Amino acid sequence: MIPVMEFRQFSEQQPAFRVLKPWWDVFTDYLSVVMLMIGVFGCTLQVMQDKIICLPQRVLLPPVNTSEVEVKSLLHLQSNMSAAPREMTGLKTDLDLQQYSFINQMCYEKALHWYAKYFPYLVLIHTLIFMVCSNFWFKFPGSSSKIEHFISMLGKCFDSPWTTRALSEVSGENPEEKDKKSMTLRSNIAVSPGEGSLEKTQSLRSIPEKIVVDKPSASVLDKKEGEQAKALFEKVKKFRLHVEEGDILYLMYVRQTVFKVFKFLLIIAYNSSLVNKVRNRVHCVVEIQDMTGYTNFECNHTMAHLFSKLSYCYLCLVAVYGLTSLYTSYWLFYRSLKEYSFEYVRQETGINDIPDVKNDFAFMLHMIDQYDPLYSKRFAVFLSEVSENKLKQLNLNHEWTAEKLRQRLQTNGNNRLELQLFMLPGLPDTVFELTELQSLKLEIINNVTILASISQLENLQELSLYQCSLKLHTTATSFLKENLKVLRVKFDDNRELPNWMYGLRNLEELYLTGSLSPDASKNIVLESLRDMKCLKTLSLKSNLTKIPQSIVDVSSHLLRLYFHNDGTKLVMLNNLKKMTNLIELELVRCDLERIPHAIFSLTNLQELDLKENNLRSIEEIISFQHLRKLTCLKLWYNSITYIPEHIKKLGSLERLYFCHNKIEVLPSHLFLCNKLRYLDLSNNDIRFIPPEIGVLQSLQYFSVVCNKIENLPDELFFCKKLKILKLGKNSMSILSPKVSYLALLTYLDLKCNHFEVLPQELGCCHALKRSGLIVEETLFETLPSDVRDQMKAE
């Protein structure tokens, strides 16, 4: 006998797959088992017992001239003779056992209807087809891999401590119930067969739930659990992107359901018409008279009665199976199974960013809901960015403790205690425990959320955001409005500029770096600056083509304005005339060919920087004489070829930068600016320094590095306040002994010249040490030993 368990492989799938089997699939599986037992039972009977038993039948042929009435009487007599009970002696046929067996086989093949012969096998084949069809989508390579990954993630998401933490207050479960449910779920998702099934839980829609966002959960995740949950989020993201691209699972399930419906109709159709062919008595006519002496046989199909009952029972089971398949088809086509909405989960949990899904992902979730909707709800936690951010924040707080952050505190250029964080997944909440913090610098950090606890940082005055996306709590916004003095923002798109920035009414310094609209006057971002009544310093490193009107609107209190373009030509500078309170102005890389006339109206201007423009002539410099307060002029990194004599009109200049130009001749009038303390003429083509340089008695810094100077005038050494003298990379061969007049000299660069020997008078420069003397070692050795020892001494 063939055991039913041998056919299990046709319908076997991993026990975890049961969560994707709705009630109708489970019901049809049981129906298939019953139909399989019918088929196996019938096949067993076919093999174990005699199929048919036949006896020969005598036929009395009437004479030729016999009347019809006589023929009928003879046939009636014959039938009576064969049917009537005989005496103990019976009718002798003179046939042996082999002849009977031969007759049985011949009549079984010739006379018995094919349906009566093959009914058990048909039942078995149809049932196996049903079983294979019902589970084909679990076996098909294109769909089984997706299902396996989904079930694996589903179980991990269900058992994850993070899921319990996120929904503990939502579900209203106590710890004991959670432990029971977790154990039950593990037994349901486990790979090994024969374990317990999932406890039936209350429907999601009937559970009153409310999420509490700011209250910490009682359970605390350790580092390992946090990393596992983080990995789950990444897996779910990638799986969703992969599965939502196609609908192969949906199509496979639809096709197998439609196939079962057609199969059901086919079975009902031909079985209903053929079931009456299963009869007990069968008349058999076989031309074997020469072997047995008989042609007509009367046979008894021994299994006919049982097969008839089994066939009717089978038809009833198939009918139920078919009706179930029809219901499945209705469910498939009536509902939109390629879209899944988490609306009810969002309403119950308050996690409003759980996205709706589509295609195969949606279909599997619909199937899961038929098993237990709680699965979808717990799985939805890992689709939420809010939930993911909370987990990242938790892991971040574990990694960056307050003690670790305190070790990274440094003093910045503004003499403020600063904390710099670079490329973190978020902002640790422990930052707000550093009450001594004065400056916070964040670089390339996404999803920065500043909570109300920032109010603990009473000393915070400076905030730097370099390519960061920032969200502020309402209380945090109020705190920054009152306390923040300096804000630095670096962005890629002007849409990344934070809107709360324009409400910082006490802000004094604003530094913006990024690409703005070429037509800045139409840029809404800059229109809001007019509300910053305390703004004193504004720096824009962008691609502006003209000065926005909104900057003019803050000119009444703006003292420093810095424009650093990316080479874009800055035109229409007439608005500068209105900024009469400016004391510092920088126009860097603005492709200026002339000095803008609007600058000459800035009577309070003290520093002007025109670095990296395209200036060739500076004849307009005569107009600077109206700027009585101008002390610093930077015309470096341009293409200036000469210095006009009008430079002498700038009597208030203290610092002058002409480095990195193409100047060949120094006019003597330059040295009539007798207040100069800083003069940089490096990287030009200068060959001669006029002796009038001795007029600059206040000169402390003088650089002519990278020129073509061969001799130095002795008058240079009359500038007795010189502290830094840079003469490197020239063509000088002699250094005057009058260098001893420079008693305050601390730095002297003589490298890359043609000196053969250094004057021993360098020993009179008592402030000059070896670290401040930039010269070749061989040349340094030409100094007397006592001078060398003096310079080497600390």
Side-chain angles (χ1 to χ4, degrees):
M1 192 171 189
I2 304 176
V4 177
M5 292 297 291
E6 293 296 327
F7 298 94
R8 183 179 179 181
Q9 58 181 333
F10 293 102
S11 62
E12 184 178 12
Q13 72 273 349
Q14 294 185 21
F17 285 6
R18 74 186 69 179
V19 296
L20 286 177
K21 295 181 74 70
W23 67 265
W24 52 80
D25 279 350
V26 176
F27 181 61
T28 52
D29 282 349
Y30 283 112
L31 289 178
S32 298
V33 172
V34 176
M35 291 188 289
L36 183 65
M37 294 177 65
I38 291 175
V40 172
F41 179 63
C43 291
T44 304
L45 292 179
Q46 287 280 68
V47 175
M48 301 298 294
Q49 297 189 15
D50 293 333
K51 302 173 185 177
I52 193 170
I53 299 175
C54 299
L55 292 176
Q57 185 177 23
R58 292 186 176 88
V59 179
L60 300 178
L61 297 177
V64 179
N65 54 357
T66 307
S67 64
E68 183 178 351
V69 177
E70 292 175 340
V71 171
K72 290 182 179 180
S73 61
L74 288 174
L75 292 175
H76 180 69
L77 179 61
Q78 179 184 2
S79 61
N80 289 337
M81 291 174 62
S82 60
R86 301 293 184 180
E87 295 180 0
M88 293 300 295
T89 57
L91 295 178
K92 294 183 178 181
T93 59
D94 298 326
L95 299 177
D96 55 20
L97 182 60
Q98 287 78 11
Q99 288 175 316
Y100 276 116
S101 297
F102 179 76
I103 293 169
N104 291 345
Q105 291 295 330
M106 290 297 294
C107 288
Y108 181 81
E109 296 295 335
K110 297 291 184 181
L112 194 63
H113 193 273
W114 67 267
Y115 181 77
K117 291 188 291 184
Y118 301 118
F119 163 73
Y121 304 106
L122 292 174
V123 173
L124 185 61
I125 292 173
H126 289 318
T127 304
L128 290 179
I129 292 175
F130 275 136
M131 297 174 73
V132 170
C133 184
S134 295
N135 298 281
F136 185 70
W137 71 315
F138 292 131
K139 302 290 185 179
F140 185 70
S143 57
S144 61
S145 59
K146 292 183 179 180
I147 295 175
E148 288 175 3
H149 287 136
F150 178 71
I151 296 299
S152 174
M153 287 189 303
L154 189 69
K156 293 177 181 178
C157 292
F158 207 113
D159 291 335
S160 172
W162 174 248
T163 312
T164 305
R165 179 188 175 95
L167 296 177
S168 58
E169 297 186 10
V170 173
S171 60
E173 298 169 345
N174 59 45
E176 295 180 358
E177 290 174 343
K178 292 177 191 173
D179 292 340
K180 287 183 180 180
K181 191 175 290 289
S182 178
M183 292 295 295
T184 307
L185 292 169
R186 288 193 186 96
S187 65
N188 185 50
I189 301 296
V191 176
S192 58
E195 297 187 3
S197 59
L198 178 67
E199 269 187 39
K200 190 171 183 66
T201 59
Q202 188 179 6
S203 173
L204 277 181
R205 303 180 188 273
S206 62
I207 301 176
E209 298 179 348
K210 184 187 297 182
I211 188 117
V212 180
V213 177
D214 292 330
K215 290 184 179 180
S217 175
S219 60
V220 178
L221 271 68
D222 58 26
K223 184 175 181 181
K224 181 179 179 181
E225 292 172 338
E227 291 299 323
Q228 290 175 347
K230 181 180 177 181
L232 269 179
F233 271 106
E234 293 298 323
K235 287 182 179 179
V236 171
K237 277 184 180 179
K238 294 178 180 178
F239 179 78
R240 179 189 171 194
L241 291 175
H242 173 63
V243 175
E244 280 193 322
E245 292 177 354
D247 55 357
I248 185 174
L249 294 178
Y250 175 76
L251 292 178
M252 289 291 297
Y253 194 83
V254 168
R255 289 169 182 171
Q256 71 183 34
T257 302
V258 172
F259 180 80
K260 288 191 291 185
V261 171
F262 281 110
K263 187 78 174 174
F264 145 72
L265 296 175
L266 176 64
I267 294 174
I268 292 295
Y270 85 83
N271 274 270
S272 300
S273 60
L274 296 178
V275 67
N276 58 353
K277 299 296 183 181
V278 182
R279 302 171 181 171
N280 284 41
R281 298 189 63 178
V282 179
H283 183 71
C284 177
V285 179
V286 185
E287 296 296 334
I288 53 173
Q289 188 172 3
D290 53 342
M291 299 177 60
T292 62
Y294 298 94
T295 300
N296 297 315
F297 300 91
E298 194 71 20
C299 304
N300 179 32
H301 184 199
T302 57
M303 295 293 105
H305 181 73
L306 182 57
F307 281 2
S308 178
K309 302 301 181 183
L310 289 177
S311 62
Y312 283 113
C313 181
Y314 174 67
L315 281 176
C316 293
L317 293 174
V318 170
V320 176
Y321 192 104
L323 292 175
T324 306
S325 298
L326 287 173
Y327 172 80
T328 306
S329 302
Y330 168 78
W331 182 77
L332 286 173
F333 295 111
Y334 176 74
R335 300 185 60 181
S336 179
L337 300 181
K338 295 176 71 173
E339 295 178 356
Y340 189 92
S341 174
F342 285 100
E343 181 62 29
Y344 74 96
V345 179
R346 292 192 288 263
Q347 292 177 355
E348 294 177 357
T349 64
I351 307 177
N352 296 321
D353 71 320
I354 301 176
D356 295 336
V357 295
K358 59 183 180 179
N359 289 338
D360 281 344
F361 204 177
F363 177 66
M364 285 190 287
L365 290 172
H366 280 294
M367 297 293 282
I368 287 290
D369 282 349
Q370 298 299 318
Y371 186 84
D372 190 343
L374 187 59
Y375 275 95
S376 298
K377 175 181 175 181
R378 295 179 72 92
F379 189 76
V381 171
F382 288 87
L383 292 172
S384 167
E385 288 189 9
V386 171
S387 177
E388 183 179 9
N389 291 337
K390 287 181 181 179
L391 175 64
K392 289 180 179 179
Q393 191 66 38
L394 185 64
N395 292 337
L396 199 63
N397 295 339
H398 286 167
E399 181 180 359
W400 295 91
T401 60
E403 292 74 16
K404 184 177 180 180
L405 291 174
R406 192 168 277 110
Q407 295 174 1
R408 298 172 64 91
L409 291 177
Q410 295 179 346
T411 303
N412 64 7
N414 295 329
N415 201 29
R416 292 189 176 104
L417 199 60
E418 182 177 83
L419 173 65
Q420 180 177 0
L421 299 177
F422 179 72
M423 289 189 70
L424 294 183
L427 181 65
D429 294 338
T430 49
V431 169
F432 307 123
E433 299 177 16
L434 309 179
T435 55
E436 68 273 25
L437 188 64
Q438 295 176 308
S439 174
L440 179 59
K441 186 176 183 179
L442 308 177
E443 296 187 52
I444 316 179
I445 301 178
N446 293 324
N447 301 320
V448 177
T449 301
I450 296 184
L451 305 176
S453 52
I454 194 176
S455 57
Q456 300 174 13
L457 307 181
E458 298 178 353
N459 298 316
L460 185 66
Q461 297 181 355
E462 184 174 343
L463 178 62
S464 300
L465 303 173
Y466 292 169
Q467 295 179 330
C468 299
S469 57
L470 185 68
K471 295 180 181 178
L472 280 182
H473 192 275
T474 305
T475 307
T477 304
S478 302
F479 172 80
L480 292 178
K481 285 181 180 180
E482 298 297 330
N483 293 271
L484 200 62
K485 303 297 182 183
V486 181
L487 176 63
R488 306 174 192 271
V489 181
K490 185 177 181 180
F491 53 92
D492 293 326
D493 191 323
N494 56 22
R495 289 174 293 185
E496 298 177 8
L497 285 173
N499 294 327
W500 51 265
M501 176 183 73
Y502 314 114
L504 303 177
R505 53 179 174 268
N506 290 326
L507 191 69
E508 297 179 358
E509 300 180 26
L510 176 61
Y511 300 86
L512 301 179
T513 303
S515 178
L516 293 171
S517 171
D519 189 0
S521 63
K522 297 181 180 179
N523 198 315
I524 301 177
V525 173
L526 296 178
E527 290 295 330
S528 302
L529 296 180
R530 65 185 66 182
D531 297 329
M532 299 182 179
K533 302 301 182 182
C534 295
L535 190 65
K536 296 179 181 180
T537 301
L538 175 61
S539 174
L540 295 176
K541 294 184 179 181
S542 186
N543 57 345
L544 299 177
T545 58
K546 57 183 178 180
I547 298 178
Q549 180 64 33
S550 57
I551 296 180
V552 180
D553 294 337
V554 296
S555 60
S556 60
H557 46 81
L558 193 64
L559 301 179
R560 299 171 186 86
L561 179 61
Y562 307 131
F563 278 105
H564 290 243
N565 265 9
D566 58 358
T568 303
K569 190 174 184 64
L570 186 62
V571 296
M572 297 179 64
L573 298 172
N574 292 333
N575 284 338
L576 281 176
K577 295 180 179 180
K578 303 175 182 180
M579 301 184 182
T580 55
N581 293 324
L582 279 182
I583 61 174
E584 291 185 24
L585 175 62
E586 290 185 8
L587 301 175
V588 178
R589 297 193 67 192
C590 296
D591 195 25
L592 300 176
E593 297 180 358
R594 311 286 291 185
I595 298 177
H597 291 277
I599 295 177
F600 306 138
S601 302
L602 307 179
T603 55
N604 291 313
L605 195 64
Q606 298 177 12
E607 294 188 17
L608 175 62
D609 188 354
L610 299 177
K611 181 182 179 181
E612 293 188 71
N613 281 285
N614 196 23
L615 299 177
R616 290 181 174 83
S617 173
I618 53 173
E619 290 292 342
E620 302 87 353
I621 203 170
I622 188 173
S623 298
F624 282 143
Q625 62 182 324
H626 303 297
L627 307 182
R628 304 293 184 184
K629 298 181 180 180
L630 186 65
T631 59
C632 178
L633 178 59
K634 298 180 180 180
L635 299 173
W636 47 351
Y637 293 90
N638 280 282
S639 302
I640 301 171
T641 56
Y642 71 97
I643 302 175
E645 294 182 0
H646 311 304
I647 191 74
K648 64 183 179 181
K649 301 289 187 180
L650 308 183
S652 60
L653 276 183
E654 296 180 3
R655 289 182 292 161
L656 183 59
Y657 296 75
F658 270 117
C659 59
H660 293 273
N661 278 285
K662 299 178 181 180
I663 301 172
E664 296 182 1
V665 179
L666 290 179
S668 58
H669 299 82
L670 170 64
F671 305 106
L672 295 179
C673 302
N674 52 16
K675 291 185 179 181
L676 279 177
R677 294 185 293 105
Y678 187 107
L679 180 57
D680 191 350
L681 298 169
S682 60
N683 294 89
N684 280 284
D685 296 323
I686 302 171
R687 296 179 180 272
F688 175 74
I689 298 178
E692 287 79 3
I693 192 172
V695 178
L696 303 180
Q697 290 299 305
S698 299
L699 193 63
Q700 299 179 12
Y701 178 101
F702 182 59
S703 175
V704 285
V705 174
C706 289
N707 279 282
K708 300 176 181 179
I709 300 173
E710 297 181 359
N711 296 296
L712 291 175
D714 291 342
E715 289 78 3
L716 174 63
F717 303 106
F718 296 157
C719 304
K720 297 183 179 181
K721 292 185 179 181
L722 264 178
K723 295 181 180 180
I724 299 176
L725 179 59
K726 296 183 178 181
L727 305 172
K729 297 182 181 180
N730 278 281
S731 302
M732 292 178 284
S733 57
I734 298 176
L735 181 62
S736 173
K738 294 182 180 180
V739 71
S740 61
Y741 296 170
L742 306 179
L744 300 178
L745 194 66
T746 59
Y747 186 94
L748 177 61
D749 181 6
L750 301 173
K751 203 168 186 179
C752 297
N753 276 283
H754 300 156
F755 295 115
E756 296 181 358
V757 58
L758 294 179
Q760 63 180 2
E761 286 77 7
L762 280 176
C764 298
C765 302
H766 300 292
L768 184 63
K769 301 299 181 182
R770 178 66 184 95
S771 59
L773 178 59
I774 310 302
V775 70
E776 291 83 356
E777 187 64 30
T778 56
L779 194 58
F780 177 73
E781 295 296 331
T782 62
L783 290 171
S785 60
D786 57 334
V787 176
R788 296 198 306 268
D789 293 342
Q790 173 188 328
M791 289 187 177
K792 290 180 181 179
E794 293 295 333

